[in-house]
Amino acid sequence: MRILLLAPIALLAVATGADSQSRPDELARATAGRIAGKPVSCVDPRLVDGPTVVGKQTLIYRQGRGRVWVNTLPEECLGLRFNAVPVVEMLNGEMCRNDSFTPVSPGAIPGGRCRLGSFTPYDRPKR
C-alpha cells in the first residue's frame, strides 16, 4: 500500500523538476542563423507571438516568420516554468523593460512577481 501512495508523489517531483529546468537548446534553435541586434526597451505586444519560456530567466517572442525577440530577465523568476503564461502588467500599451509580470501555470498557484528585461532582436542576415 505504501508503494502506491509514494508513486504519485515521485511522479510529481519528477514533473516539477522538469518544469523548472532551463532549455538552452530551445534558445539555440530560435536564434540559429540569426544575428543579434541592439536591445530595445519596449515591443508592441500586438506584433509578437509567445512567449516561449526557456528557463527561469529567458523568454522568447516571435514576430512573423523572421524576427525573434529574446528577453533576458534581470533576475531569475522562481515561478517561471515551461508551461507558464507570463501575465504582464503593461502601463503604456507596450511590453517594456521593468514591467512586472506574474507567471501563471495550469493547475498551480500563480508565482511571485517578476520583471522583464530588455528585448534583443534576432534577424536573419540580409542577402
Side-chain angles (χ1 to χ4, degrees):
M1 186 66 172
R2 286 185 185 178
I3 294 173
L4 294 176
L5 293 175
L6 294 177
I9 293 170
L11 286 174
L12 179 62
V14 169
T16 304
D19 280 356
S20 62
Q21 290 180 357
S22 176
R23 300 183 315 166
D25 57 322
E26 184 74 29
L27 181 60
R29 274 197 305 272
T31 58
R34 292 181 163 82
I35 299 170
K38 182 180 177 183
V40 298
S41 294
C42 300
V43 296
D44 186 339
R46 296 170 293 183
L47 301 178
V48 296
D49 292 328
T52 300
V53 176
V54 177
K56 290 183 180 180
Q57 203 168 353
T58 308
L59 302 172
I60 298 173
Y61 293 87
R62 300 183 193 294
Q63 183 174 349
R65 291 186 176 189
R67 180 169 278 181
V68 173
W69 294 95
V70 176
N71 189 285
T72 303
L73 310 180
E75 59 270 329
E76 282 191 0
C77 180
L78 299 180
L80 199 55
R81 294 179 175 83
F82 79 94
N83 64 347
V85 176
V87 178
V88 180
E89 294 179 31
M90 295 179 281
L91 301 176
N92 61 1
E94 293 185 308
M95 287 188 299
C96 295
R97 180 181 63 229
N98 291 324
D99 279 353
S100 64
F101 70 90
T102 303
V104 179
S105 296
I109 296 171
R113 297 174 72 81
C114 303
R115 293 182 307 132
L116 292 173
S118 294
F119 294 86
T120 303
Y122 283 81
D123 293 305
R124 291 194 173 107
K126 295 183 180 178
R127 297 179 188 201

